[in-house]
Amino acid sequence: GYIYPLDFVVQGAEISPSARSFFSKIKLLRRVVPSKANSMINKAGSCIAQGKTKEAWGYLQKAEKLDSHSATVFLYEGICLMKMRKYREALQAFFKSYEIKQESETLVYMAELSIEAKDYKTAGKFLQKALKVDPENDLAWRKMGKPNYRKRDFDAAVKSFQNALKQNPVSKASIGSLVSLYLGKKKNIEKAAVMLSELKTHYGGDAKAMAFFDQKAKKIPGGRGVIEK
């Protein structure tokens, strides 16, 4: 492995499906890039959102030559490097980005890299810092749930997901995480039923969400009938 600041260790873990989903859903194109490399950076962001990593990387190399002090260039390079499983280089790119501009989004990506390496302690540190920068970052709150869960601090995990929902009340991932916690470690059937009801209200037309709903509803006494009242 490689050792970095905050005792971060990259062990070469593969990118999980949840991480791929995280990458695909991030709102990359909303970033405003005030530099002469604007066109290249925006094209790279579009490619990343479409899963065209190699094409994005080509645009970023050109953009870096035009503007070597763009935090967004290094942030996007870090995302590409993570997708290419070059974890050491990805972390270096994220640190460069953060040195130029201290943004909570960059810290959340660092935390995601830590979670992929199962370094939950470091992930928690990055997320705590991200929330100091932006206390309303719902993604940071949601990601904080995993380190708390791994530390077996289930009350803190619930609070993390609840805080995420305060910022984004229709977050499918946060609702699903609370359902699983309430049915599992917290053993609160009533709250699990409430969360499942919320899931159906917001995602009744989502096949994957409803498959999850049906699976979890079987664990509620009375099943769908009780939840759908």
Side-chain angles (χ1 to χ4, degrees), residues 62 119 185 187:
K62 293 177 183 178
D119 185 352
K185 301 299 182 180
K187 310 223 179 278

Side-chain angles (χ1 to χ4, degrees), residues 39-219:
S39 177
M40 292 295 176
I41 296 171
N42 287 334
K43 286 179 181 178
S46 178
C47 288
I48 293 171
Q50 296 174 56
K52 299 177 181 178
T53 305
K54 289 184 179 179
E55 192 173 337
W57 184 256
Y59 284 125
L60 290 168
Q61 295 307 290
K62 293 177 183 178
E64 188 177 344
K65 289 179 181 179
L66 293 169
D67 185 356
S68 61
H69 299 287
S70 168
T72 305
V73 168
F74 291 116
L75 174 65
Y76 285 6
E77 285 184 356
I79 296 169
C80 289
L81 288 163
M82 283 188 73
K83 289 190 170 189
M84 292 187 279
R85 300 177 186 173
K86 296 182 179 181
Y87 304 112
R88 177 180 65 176
E89 293 90 340
L91 188 62
Q92 290 173 335
F94 289 139
F95 271 113
K96 284 181 182 178
S97 178
Y98 193 75
E99 284 174 359
I100 296 167
K101 190 172 183 180
Q102 289 72 51
E103 291 190 301
S104 63
E105 182 182 1
T106 309
L107 292 165
V108 173
Y109 274 109
M110 291 179 178
E112 185 70 20
L113 190 56
S114 303
I115 289 170
E116 284 299 310
K118 295 182 171 52
D119 185 352
Y120 302 110
K121 183 178 179 181
T122 298
K125 289 179 180 179
F126 281 133
L127 291 167
Q128 286 170 359
K129 195 167 183 179
L131 289 167
K132 285 183 180 179
V133 175
D134 179 10
E136 297 181 355
N137 188 320
D138 68 293
L139 188 58
W141 277 117
R142 178 162 63 81
K143 293 292 177 182
M144 182 66 85
K146 191 158 191 177
N148 286 332
Y149 185 90
R150 291 294 178 178
K151 291 188 294 184
R152 303 189 67 80
D153 190 344
F154 304 122
D155 289 336
V158 166
K159 187 175 180 180
S160 295
F161 293 126
Q162 288 174 336
N163 282 331
L165 279 178
K166 285 180 183 177
Q167 308 306 325
N168 182 5
V170 297
S171 169
K172 180 167 57 176
S174 297
I175 293 171
S177 296
L178 282 171
V179 169
S180 296
L181 264 170
Y182 286 139
L183 286 176
K185 301 299 182 180
K186 294 301 292 177
K187 310 223 179 278
N188 192 320
I189 298 297
E190 184 177 340
K191 288 187 176 180
V194 170
M195 287 292 100
L196 282 171
S197 178
E198 287 289 311
L199 186 70
K200 185 171 185 186
T201 297
H202 298 300
Y203 297 99
D206 185 316
K208 288 185 178 180
M210 293 315 297
F212 177 85
F213 175 92
D214 289 335
Q215 178 192 15
K216 299 300 182 182
K218 293 175 183 178
K219 299 182 180 181

